[in-house]
Amino acid sequence: MWFVFLILSIFSIAYGFWNLFNSLSGFLSRWQIKPVIAGFIVFSAITSLPEVFAAAYSLNRQYTLVPLPMVMGSNLFNYTVLLAVVVVLKRVRINATARDEDFWAEILISIVLFFNFLETPAIHSLSLLSVVLLFIVYGFLVRKIKLRNREKMAFSSMELPRQHHWWFLFAKGLVFTIAGAILLVEGSLSLSAVTGITSMVWSYAVNGAIVSIPEILLLIYLINDNQISASLSTIAGSGVFNWVMGFAVPQYFSGLVLDETLHVRSLFGIYYATIFIVFLWLRYKGNKELKKTEAIALISLFCLSVLAVFLEVNFCQNG
């Protein structure tokens, strides 16, 4: 049964995103919204909707161990596997395209949450306020800072004739995305019951990858449209939305606490170790072209992080 749930969730999330993308492309084109704002605020937001709906559903069912590892797994999947996809499909020079404000906004938000969980298993009101303010500042920076894009400055979809009935596509996209998020959560929990491995591990590895399907589809579209800068920034930018709207806000308003505080702190440790390895490696590369062998290394790094989560949880349960 878990296999059917996961397959259906993949289809639903992918189909839902494509409807949302098409509906908003026509709407934004009609109102002549600048591609920079459309790409990095609107589209980055809709790629994070699976995380938002999956977290909201999980917390409503009191599956408190699902949202945090899912968001961490999704963000690290973006920084490793999706970055590897960019390297394989189109070799890039990182310094010419990367936007550091995306990375630092994501890290600062996660640090606030990390220190919050050192003190309490619930999200404090001051922590939520700090996270939201950082989120607003990030949006301001995205709007104000010119995109360092060496290619075309507009998405091809923005140049197409306006689409009719955008609201119908939008509504259909929301329905399928919500359905996909619910099926994903139930599928991963069924997988946990069958294998005997805690849902925290499957949420990190399986949920984190599947909720990144919108980023995968958008990434492929942007690369085909020769928007390399946009594709790289989307990888990092969606992580900011994931932390705020996919975890902090739903967790706070659910009123629930994370009862596995030790695991939570260990997850943050694995998350920071992995993400800083990627960041330092990219800075070390400088303006050199990334190779396919390095793409394999990025994918391997994500697999190692999954293994680290599994070993940490297994060690704590047996110790």
Side-chain angles (χ1 to χ4, degrees):
M1 183 63 70
W2 64 266
F3 183 77
V4 175
F5 280 171
L6 294 181
I7 292 298
L8 289 175
S9 72
I10 291 172
F11 168 78
S12 296
I13 290 174
Y15 186 69
F17 168 74
W18 205 243
N19 277 276
L20 291 170
F21 179 81
N22 288 331
S23 68
L24 291 176
S25 293
F27 178 77
L28 295 170
S29 178
R30 179 183 306 175
W31 291 96
Q32 298 181 341
I33 305 297
K34 293 181 180 180
V36 173
I37 299 175
F40 298 105
I41 294 181
V42 179
F43 290 140
S44 288
I46 65 173
T47 58
S48 296
L49 286 181
E51 286 91 336
V52 174
F53 294 137
Y57 175 77
S58 300
L59 295 171
N60 183 61
R61 296 293 300 274
Q62 297 191 356
Y63 303 146
T64 57
L65 296 182
V66 171
L68 180 61
M70 176 183 65
V71 167
M72 287 184 173
S74 175
N75 288 358
L76 292 181
F77 185 88
N78 292 349
Y79 271 107
T80 55
V81 178
L82 292 194
L83 182 56
V85 171
V86 177
V87 174
V88 171
L89 296 182
K90 203 128 191 175
R91 293 186 179 181
V92 294
R93 297 179 184 272
I94 293 298
N95 277 3
T97 54
R99 287 169 15 108
D100 286 348
E101 62 270 15
D102 293 326
F103 175 84
W104 289 115
E106 180 178 336
I107 291 299
L108 286 174
I109 288 172
S110 66
I111 287 176
V112 170
L113 295 172
F114 171 70
F115 280 106
N116 174 93
F117 288 117
L118 288 178
E119 300 295 331
T120 172
I123 294 181
H124 192 273
S125 299
L126 183 59
S127 300
L128 180 69
L129 177 61
S130 301
V131 165
V132 171
L133 289 176
L134 285 170
F135 184 59
I136 294 172
V137 171
Y138 164 77
F140 178 79
L141 290 175
V142 170
R143 182 178 181 274
K144 283 299 197 179
I145 296 176
K146 291 183 178 180
L147 176 64
R148 296 194 287 271
N149 194 340
R150 303 298 192 264
E151 303 92 26
K152 296 180 296 181
M153 287 301 296
F155 300 129
S156 295
S157 61
M158 298 295 181
E159 300 163 0
L160 296 175
R162 68 177 63 177
Q163 299 184 29
H164 298 288
H165 308 304
W166 68 268
W167 51 268
F168 175 73
L169 291 175
F170 185 81
K172 185 166 66 170
L174 282 180
V175 169
F176 273 92
T177 302
I178 293 172
I182 294 173
L183 288 169
L184 174 60
V185 173
E186 293 296 340
S188 65
L189 290 174
S190 298
L191 180 58
S192 176
V194 170
T195 60
I197 300 174
T198 177
S199 60
M200 180 178 290
V201 175
W202 292 122
S203 184
Y204 182 94
V206 177
N207 295 12
I210 293 179
V211 293
S212 293
I213 287 175
E215 283 91 345
I216 296 173
L217 296 176
L218 183 58
L219 197 69
I220 294 173
Y221 173 85
L222 292 173
I223 291 174
N224 289 333
D225 197 33
N226 203 32
Q227 298 281 354
I228 308 304
S229 301
S231 63
L232 289 171
S233 191
T234 297
I235 288 174
S238 63
V240 181
F241 286 88
N242 289 347
W243 270 120
V244 179
M245 304 307 298
F247 175 67
V249 172
Q251 185 73 41
Y252 177 80
F253 285 102
S254 72
L256 300 175
V257 299
L258 298 182
D259 52 0
E260 296 284 352
T261 308
L262 180 61
H263 289 320
V264 168
R265 295 171 183 174
S266 299
L267 279 175
F268 273 104
I270 295 170
Y271 174 77
Y272 289 130
T274 307
I275 204 169
F276 274 110
I277 287 173
V278 176
F279 181 75
L280 293 174
W281 168 66
L282 294 179
R283 286 299 166 263
Y284 171 77
K285 287 292 296 183
N287 202 33
K288 297 178 182 178
E289 189 176 82
L290 300 179
K291 301 176 182 179
K292 291 183 179 180
T293 53
E294 292 172 308
I296 297 175
L298 284 169
I299 296 174
S300 300
L301 183 61
F302 178 75
C303 294
L304 286 174
S305 72
V306 173
L307 178 61
V309 172
F310 171 78
L311 292 176
E312 188 278 332
V313 172
N314 188 64
F315 174 80
C316 289
Q317 286 180 339
N318 295 333

